[in-house]
Amino acid sequence: MPLTVHQFACLSDNYGFLARDEATGLAACIDTPDAGAILRELDKLGWKLSLILNTHWHPDHAGGNAEVKAATGATIVGPKEVTRISALDREVEGGDVVELGETRFKVIETGGHTLGHIAYYDAADEIAFVGDTLFALGCGRLFEGDAAQMWTSLQRLAALPDDTTVYCAHEYTASNARFALSVDDDPTLRRRAEAVFAARERGEPTVPTTIGLEKATNPFLRAPKLAARVGAAGKPDYEAFGAVRAAKDVFKG
Ligand code: ZN
Ligand code: FE
């Protein structure tokens, strides 16, 4: 039985996600960017929340934990770093499995944006919730980790099947596309960027994406191929990645 995902926009550019295990009707929310919005969406759907899955400690991901738990009684699961801003009922790390009814989420360690960041992967349904690690045409800023750690994390996600549906936590795709075009002239990227700009003009989301699409067009995953463009020719892959990341950090577009 499948996992049904409900995505909604909240705060200025976050996405909230509710996921329901159809075999049992149990529901989870991935992160708690906006407790009010999450509770309203649950109400609208008539879903009962049993699980909160945090990807990292940032307030736009774990800031609503207490309010959502108080209203629903859901169990809070996340990496240890979340205890900086919220209580946790269960601490998890890479390799752990979290069950929602018959759905099994494998925890993948994806540190770099924050040191303890994790992703949740449901292999049976080929669905991944990646928080602020991988974005459509982008990746998270290196607030706590370094380029080597983030590159390793991105490679773990890139190793998932191409068809994996990837739910990233922000709508940053249009600005990511403008940066991507500044370092890469690949025709597949150019076509995708046009589609992204058109979708945003129409007010449509560009999330979710897929692993295959990101491997083909995301300048951070393509960093080794773009090394010469960012002054990292002949350098190890993680340094090429670090150079692309540094270029994005100062990109004005
Ligand atoms: Zn974050
Ligand atoms: Fe965030």
Side-chain angles (χ1 to χ4, degrees):
M1 286 285 270
L3 185 76
T4 301
V5 178
H6 173 70
Q7 173 179 323
F8 55 96
C10 58
L11 303 182
S12 58
D13 50 33
N14 277 77
Y15 285 119
F17 305 106
L18 295 169
R20 184 164 83 155
D21 173 64
E22 294 301 337
T24 58
L26 294 174
C29 66
I30 292 75
D31 286 329
T32 55
D34 180 337
I38 290 166
L39 298 175
R40 275 194 302 278
E41 296 293 322
L42 281 168
D43 227 38
K44 242 190 318 194
L45 295 163
W47 290 4
K48 188 179 157 4
L49 196 75
S50 62
L51 206 56
I52 295 168
L53 299 174
N54 286 139
T55 60
H56 65 297
W57 73 269
H58 283 162
D60 64 316
H61 295 263
N65 279 8
E67 191 180 337
V68 173
K69 184 181 172 75
T72 61
T75 300
I76 307 174
V77 176
K80 184 180 175 45
E81 65 173 25
V82 167
T83 58
R84 286 160 76 164
I85 70 160
S86 155
L88 275 180
D89 296 304
R90 180 181 166 199
E91 236 177 74
V92 291
E93 56 183 25
D96 287 345
V97 170
V98 183
E99 288 177 0
L100 174 72
E102 292 182 2
T103 302
R104 291 166 58 84
F105 292 103
K106 192 180 149 208
V107 176
I108 302 175
E109 189 188 327
T110 57
H113 174 70
T114 62
L115 286 178
H117 195 299
I118 59 174
Y120 295 90
Y121 174 54
D122 164 14
D125 300 295
E126 296 195 327
I127 287 172
F129 295 99
V130 301
D132 287 355
T133 298
L134 178 64
F135 293 125
L137 290 174
C139 77
R141 275 181 192 266
L142 305 182
F143 284 120
E144 297 178 3
D146 60 17
Q149 184 187 13
M150 187 62 145
W151 178 248
T152 300
S153 297
L154 290 171
Q155 292 313 110
R156 287 192 185 110
L157 297 177
L160 299 177
D162 280 358
D163 288 341
T164 305
T165 303
V166 176
Y167 291 96
C168 25
H170 290 272
E171 180 61 63
Y172 291 154
T173 318
S175 93
N176 288 342
R178 287 190 288 276
F179 169 71
L181 291 170
S182 77
V183 291
D184 194 354
D185 52 16
D186 179 78
T188 310
L189 166 65
R190 287 208 303 268
R191 281 195 298 276
R192 183 181 181 194
E194 287 313 315
V196 163
F197 298 141
R200 294 308 296 152
E201 283 286 313
R202 297 190 298 266
E204 294 169 5
T206 63
V207 172
T209 177
T210 65
I211 291 295
L213 187 54
E214 294 312 314
K215 274 166 40 186
T217 55
N218 185 309
F220 298 96
L221 297 182
R222 284 170 50 77
K225 294 187 185 73
L226 307 175
R229 294 285 297 264
V230 290
K235 297 278 177 61
D237 289 353
Y238 77 89
E239 285 189 34
F241 163 73
V244 175
R245 185 60 258 178
K248 173 70 162 73
D249 289 343
V250 297
F251 180 73
K252 305 259 187 284

